[in-house]
Every structure is written in C-alpha cells, then in structure tokens.
Amino acid sequence: MTDWPEVRRLLAGEGIDVAPLLLGSVLTVRGVSVRITEVEAYAGAQDPGSHAFRGRTPRNATMFGPPGRLYCYRIYGLHTCANVVCGPEGSASAVLLRAGEVIAGQDQARARRGEVPARQLARGPANLAQALGLTHADDGLDLAGHLTGFPGSQGEGEVATGPRVGLRQAADRPWRFWLAGEPSVSAYRPAAALRNKPPSDLGKRG
C-alpha cells in the first residue's frame, strides 16, 4: 500500500491489531531495507510492560503523538530500539520492531553490524535498529516514505503468537507476533532473575 493517509489511518488502530499487519512490510532507512518478521505490541496506560504505563514523560512523549512515527529509545544506555507509534493520538500504543530480514543494503548493514550471518543482521530489536542506522536522534521520525508494503502480513505465511520477550510485568500476554519459519526471528527468553533492584523501566519496552 502506498497511500500514506490510508496507512496512517490503519496505524491509528490499537497496537494489538496493528502489530501483525506490520509483518512482511518493509522499513527503509539510510540505504538499508528490512522486511519485518517479528514484532511486539504495547498498550500504553493499559499495559504494565509499556514505557507509557505511568503516563507521559519527556522520554516517551513521541508515543503520545500521531500514529506513523518512530519511538526510539536507548536500552541499558548502549543500544537503540525502535517502535512504530500507533493507536489514536494520545493513547501511547506502540509496536516494537523485534526482528527482520535485510533485503537491500546488505553492505551498509554489515558495515554497521559486522561480519555476522545474514539471518542475524537484524535479528533482535537492537540489531535491527543498528542495521538500519537508527539512533535516539531518530525519535519522532515520520515513517512516510520509509514504511512500504503495509499491511504486509497477507500472503507472508503463518503468523505465530506468544508471550513478549524479557518482560517481568504482563509477561504472559501473547502480544508477540512473528512469521513462522523465518530464520531471522529471535529466540524467546523470559526475564532474567532479579539480583538487585532494577531501574524503574528495566524490563519494559514500547
């Protein structure tokens, strides 16, 4: 679909509905195109696993803005993760881009990611963002002209669902979606056992 107003209308749906539609769509940034194969949905104030569960802050403000933008944040102070903002404006729904297949710009992706197998170039949310050259400075990026082939799950094979990765809160919600059989999809891991009290947003995403 190339009609961006219609794409934005579809992205204004709830994250749980938008997430599977992102599978098979293509995100292109800085010379690299990634076909999305794995995502996780987050539901803002209704979701203890979301950065927006306790309301708006300077860090998560993009999540409350119009749908069709990227919410980018740093995890552990080292890596960038990227979410597609969705839902009605003000709802703070988002879909974490967990994994994908690099289908164009492999040389640029390898320059950023190093000599790893092709299936691992964008496997995992931080690796996906790194392959695309995304940083925290891209927070708020309008996806018009960057997101194509949406909705993309039609004809892309079986869509599987399961619990989100690494969460301690609302961990049992089956809001992770992926294209079954895709080698780029990341492995499921539950949250690690706590040893010390974590920062307030550790174990939260999107």
Side-chain angles (χ1 to χ4, degrees), residues 110-132:
R110 286 191 184 282
R112 295 165 183 155
R113 288 277 296 116
E115 290 299 320
V116 298
R119 67 186 180 89
Q120 294 181 12
L121 283 172
R123 188 184 193 205
N127 293 336
L128 183 150
Q130 186 178 19
L132 288 167

Side-chain angles (χ1 to χ4, degrees), residues 33-82:
S33 296
V34 171
R35 182 176 70 96
I36 305 302
T37 60
E38 181 186 6
V39 295
E40 287 178 344
Y42 290 85
Q46 309 305 315
D47 183 359
S50 172
H51 285 173
F53 181 58
R54 292 184 175 85
R56 183 169 180 156
T57 67
R59 183 195 188 198
N60 67 24
T62 297
M63 295 179 71
F64 292 81
R69 297 181 182 273
L70 276 188
Y71 166 51
C72 295
Y73 64 92
R74 292 179 67 81
I75 185 169
Y76 306 125
L78 299 172
H79 308 293
T80 298
C81 294

Side-chain angles (χ1 to χ4, degrees), residues 42-169:
Y42 290 85
Q46 309 305 315
D47 183 359
S50 172
H51 285 173
F53 181 58
R54 292 184 175 85
R56 183 169 180 156
T57 67
R59 183 195 188 198
N60 67 24
T62 297
M63 295 179 71
F64 292 81
R69 297 181 182 273
L70 276 188
Y71 166 51
C72 295
Y73 64 92
R74 292 179 67 81
I75 185 169
Y76 306 125
L78 299 172
H79 308 293
T80 298
C81 294
N83 301 255
V84 174
V85 176
C86 55
E89 189 165 357
S91 71
S93 291
V95 177
L96 175 68
L97 302 178
R98 278 206 58 86
E101 174 194 12
V102 176
I103 60 172
Q106 285 87 352
D107 289 344
Q108 293 96 316
R110 286 191 184 282
R112 295 165 183 155
R113 288 277 296 116
E115 290 299 320
V116 298
R119 67 186 180 89
Q120 294 181 12
L121 283 172
R123 188 184 193 205
N127 293 336
L128 183 150
Q130 186 178 19
L132 288 167
L134 292 170
T135 69
H136 185 262
D138 293 299
D139 185 41
L141 176 71
D142 193 326
L143 289 174
H146 296 282
L147 181 67
T148 56
F150 178 88
S153 58
Q154 286 70 27
E156 287 285 341
E158 180 185 356
V159 174
T161 65
R164 296 175 292 186
V165 176
L167 290 187
R168 294 191 177 89
Q169 301 182 70

